């Protein structure tokens, strides 16, 4: 998916078990990359986009992603659009979803204390290796070596969409032009795929996305505008 995946397993399990769990997580991420990468012409998502794979022939994962992206399009008033670029690109959901699935599988396997980080989209469960809640830094949008906020919790899905690494790559689907107004949006919930999509949608909305984020009852958020103003939910899980 063109990004780094890191995993921190904090359970006191046998080393062989931890290695096996880590191998399974990274094998799953490689499977997702092979199926959903928009950079690999032979990926399933590219072949589906070209009409070489029919919906009836698609994998269960691809059908699920397509259905969920359609639901998210409706939930975001069209601002999360997997076809915003003119071709199918569900990356704004897939990265977070893949990490969420990895985390759910770890819990099912008994590794209830962990952190999965997919290129800055983070799913934490339980406690960190120190025995304390996990701490998640939100990158400062103008200083790659600094954090603008630090969150803390034991069950958080934290997704950030911004323009500071890849430029204005998120399009406003209504204008067909790069979104502007917001430099960084972080959404916090319990499902990383949904949080990832919501962060992308809010960035695409521009500054009106601030009001949309504030109406999400089951998520909290933080956002920084192009003119360096910061906004965040009053109940954002900030560190003490």
């Amino acid at each position: 998916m063109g990004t780094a995946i890191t995993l921190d397993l904090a359970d006191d399990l046998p080393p062989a078990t931890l290695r096996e769990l880590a191998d399974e997580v990274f094998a799953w991420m490689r499977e997702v990359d092979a199926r959903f990468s928009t950079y690999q012409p032979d990926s399933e998502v590219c072949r589906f986009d070209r009409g070489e794979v029919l919906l009836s022939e698609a994998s269960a994962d691809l059908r699920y992603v397509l259905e969920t992206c359609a639901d998210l399009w409706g939930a975001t008033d069209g601002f999360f659009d997997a076809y915003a670029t003119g071709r199918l690109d569900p990356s704004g959901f897939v990265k977070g979803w893949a990490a969420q699935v990895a985390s759910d599988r770890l819990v099912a396997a008994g590794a209830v204390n962990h952190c999965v980080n997919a290129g800055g989209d983070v799913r934490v469960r339980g406690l960190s290796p120190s025995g304390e809640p996990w701490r998640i830094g939100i990158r400062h949008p103008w200083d790659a070596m600094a954090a603008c906020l630090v969150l803390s919790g034991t069950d958080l899905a934290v997704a950030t969409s911004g323009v500071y690494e890849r430029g204005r790559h998120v399009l406003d689907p209504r204008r067909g032009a790069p979104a502007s107004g917001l430099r960084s949006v972080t959404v916090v919930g319990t499902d990383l795929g949904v949080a990832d999509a919501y962060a992308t949608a809010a960035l695409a909305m521009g500054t009106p996305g601030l009001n949309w984020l504030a109406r999400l009852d089951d998520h909290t958020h933080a956002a920084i505008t192009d003119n360096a103003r910061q906004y965040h939910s009053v109940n954002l899980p900030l560190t003490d």
Side-chain angles (χ1 to χ4, degrees):
M1 292 175 281
T3 192
I5 309 295
T6 62
L7 174 64
D8 194 338
L9 299 174
D11 287 282
D12 186 17
L13 296 172
T17 301
L18 294 172
R19 284 194 296 270
E20 182 179 354
L21 290 171
D23 287 344
E24 290 173 356
V25 166
F26 292 118
W28 161 246
M29 290 298 190
R30 285 190 290 269
E31 178 185 338
V32 171
D33 185 50
R35 177 164 290 145
F36 291 99
S37 173
T38 59
Y39 304 103
Q40 300 182 45
D42 62 342
S43 71
E44 185 180 14
V45 77
C46 286
R47 290 185 292 116
F48 179 84
D49 190 45
R50 294 194 299 266
E52 298 170 7
V53 175
L54 301 178
L55 184 59
S56 60
E57 301 168 332
S59 67
D61 283 342
L62 178 55
R63 292 197 302 272
Y64 173 80
V65 165
L66 293 173
E67 291 169 4
T68 305
C69 285
D71 291 342
L72 289 165
W73 182 89
T76 62
D77 199 21
F79 278 95
F80 180 82
D81 188 347
Y83 287 92
T85 63
R87 57 170 297 195
L88 176 60
D89 183 0
S91 303
F93 169 72
V94 164
K95 184 175 65 166
W97 163 74
Q100 178 69 43
V101 169
S103 176
D104 291 344
R105 290 180 177 180
L106 287 170
V107 170
V112 297
N113 301 288
H114 62 260
C115 172
V116 182
N117 185 334
D121 290 341
V122 181
R123 187 64 170 101
V124 296
R125 310 291 263 274
L127 300 176
S128 70
S130 68
E132 300 293 327
W134 296 92
R135 291 165 58 90
I136 304 105
I138 307 303
R139 194 195 123 162
H140 194 291
W142 281 279
D143 184 352
M145 302 303 293
C148 59
L149 294 168
V150 179
L151 311 181
S152 178
T154 59
D155 186 11
L156 299 176
V158 183
T160 299
S161 185
V163 303
Y164 40 77
E165 286 189 350
R166 297 171 55 195
R168 297 198 177 275
H169 64 287
V170 174
L171 297 181
D172 175 345
R174 296 188 176 180
R175 296 186 299 114
S180 61
L182 298 179
R183 187 165 179 85
S184 173
V185 175
T186 297
V187 174
V188 183
T190 56
D191 184 292
L192 192 56
V194 174
D196 196 3
Y198 281 177
T200 300
L203 193 71
M205 294 176 192
T207 51
L210 296 172
N211 290 329
W212 181 79
L213 287 166
R215 295 195 298 269
L216 295 177
D217 294 333
D218 51 351
H219 292 77
T220 57
H221 70 275
I224 298 177
T225 66
D226 286 344
N227 59 0
R229 301 197 64 168
Q230 184 186 102
Y231 301 85
H232 64 74
S233 307
V234 294
N235 55 339
L236 190 71
L238 296 168
T239 55
D240 295 332

